[in-house]
Amino acid sequence: MKVLNVGSLNIDHTYQLERIVAPGETITSKQMSVYAGGKGLNQSIAIARAGIEVYHAGKIGIDGQFLIELCNDSGVNSTFIETGVIPTGNAIIQVTSQGQNSIILYPGANRSLDKAWIDKVLTEFSKGDILLLQNEVNLIDYLIIEGKKKGMNIFLNPSPYDEYIDKCDLSLVNTFLMNEVEGAQITGCYDPECILTRMKNLYPQAKVVLTLGQDGVYFQDKEQRVYQPARTVKAVDTTGAGDTFTGYYIAAVIEGKSAIEALTFATNAAALAVMKAGAANAIPKRHDVEKY
Ligand code: RIB
């Protein structure tokens, strides 16, 4: 079984602030750092650092060559990362001293995928392989349909939620990995019980992983619902913690761990990620997660 992640690769500009800037306000940052990021890239790196082979597919500009190097150094197969003339996607991230963040995304090359390129990438994958998607690249509606036609197992992190998610046939998704904000946007519900019940009614075949930050995480499928509390840690930077969770969760599923084992493994990885600044660089290696 192979894992293909068609996802974003970003250059993150992270600004340290006492608090998130308010409308009309100017505040001075204490520090600015440039990190590798993008929900897609972060999730591929998390899967690779958990010890599972993953192919990342996406587009970058000349300015993003260091992202390919990072993939190669982290064990992510970068064969399907293409360099074009459109600049690499980027993010402006404000991080407060409490570790909270706020992100502005500019998609750049991430939204320049075309159907012919997708078809070519998908020829290398087949029935039973995993197709992981987030919503920072274009054509995820097409990817879901074409991946499903091949019999691939579709994992969707519908983040960030926008009108592109509404264009997708979500009944083709095998596993949703989402937080309470995306859960509310998809279902119109504001509490976990309602989100999970509505998801079951809307997509009865799908597995749902609903992360609630400090309030833990739920897993639900046709037979069961399980809950795992979060670990209490001093957050330095929560950027990429959800991506770390997603990557480690998928790695655990591939290894055949039970739902509760997978949630625990992924929760521990995400807890380590929030204790370090940055996105991709903050994703822990497997032996550190196991020790923790
Ligand atoms: O999930 C965190 C990521 O969201 C950041 O790395 C940023 O690039 C945005 O895509």
Side-chain angles (χ1 to χ4, degrees), residues 29-286:
S29 166
K30 291 183 284 190
Q31 195 187 327
M32 195 278 280
S33 310
V34 178
Y35 296 114
K39 293 186 199 309
L41 174 80
N42 297 339
Q43 292 177 20
S44 283
I45 288 184
I47 293 171
R49 290 195 180 151
I52 298 291
E53 189 184 22
V54 55
Y55 294 79
H56 191 92
K59 297 211 182 188
I60 55 171
I62 307 287
D63 53 340
Q65 295 309 296
F66 74 101
L67 301 175
I68 296 187
E69 280 161 33
L70 178 69
C71 282
N72 295 338
D73 293 347
S74 307
V76 174
N77 187 310
S78 62
T79 313
F80 304 113
I81 301 175
E82 199 173 274
T83 304
V85 290
I86 303 171
T88 306
N90 65 69
I92 292 177
I93 305 180
Q94 301 176 50
V95 176
T96 70
S97 38
Q98 287 77 45
Q100 287 168 322
N101 69 23
S102 153
I103 303 180
I104 299 173
L105 204 58
Y106 179 71
N110 293 314
R111 290 239 154 131
S112 67
L113 310 191
D114 59 80
K115 290 184 178 174
W117 177 84
I118 289 172
D119 293 345
K120 205 168 109 207
V121 171
L122 287 178
T123 56
E124 302 296 324
F125 297 87
S126 53
K127 191 169 163 43
D129 289 343
I130 287 178
L131 175 60
L132 170 62
L133 301 167
Q134 314 77 29
N135 189 30
E136 289 187 347
V137 297
N138 60 320
L139 289 176
I140 60 164
D141 52 338
Y142 183 74
L143 276 154
I144 290 173
I145 291 170
E146 294 305 307
K148 198 68 185 185
K149 270 190 206 160
K150 285 187 150 281
M152 294 178 83
N153 191 352
I154 315 286
F155 283 66
L156 176 67
N157 170 218
S159 177
Y161 179 90
D162 62 22
E163 69 277 12
Y164 292 107
I165 297 291
D166 294 330
K167 280 175 63 186
C168 297
D169 183 353
L170 297 181
S171 70
L172 302 178
V173 173
N174 298 89
T175 301
F176 291 91
L177 294 132
M178 58 196 189
N179 65 21
E180 70 273 40
V181 176
E182 293 128 19
Q185 288 162 323
I186 290 180
T187 61
C189 288
Y190 290 93
D191 67 90
E193 172 62 40
C194 179
I195 292 172
L196 290 166
T197 305
R198 189 74 57 86
M199 285 300 288
K200 197 169 210 166
N201 294 336
L202 290 170
Y203 311 110
Q205 299 309 314
K207 297 181 169 75
V208 178
V209 178
L210 178 66
T211 57
L212 307 169
Q214 273 314 298
D215 292 329
V217 54
Y218 282 97
F219 166 87
Q220 170 178 279
D221 66 7
K222 275 184 292 180
E223 282 93 38
Q224 56 172 341
R225 186 183 288 179
V226 294
Y227 172 75
Q228 166 69 32
R231 292 193 65 154
T232 308
V233 294
K234 166 116 185 55
V236 171
D237 183 354
T238 53
T239 313
D243 301 328
T244 304
F245 182 95
T246 295
Y248 268 84
Y249 174 82
I250 291 172
V253 168
I254 290 169
E255 288 177 351
K257 290 193 197 303
S258 69
I260 194 68
E261 285 167 345
L263 296 186
T264 309
F265 190 49
T267 296
N268 288 340
L272 283 172
V274 303
M275 291 193 269
K276 204 170 160 187
N281 64 296
I283 299 169
K285 297 211 170 94
R286 183 183 184 116

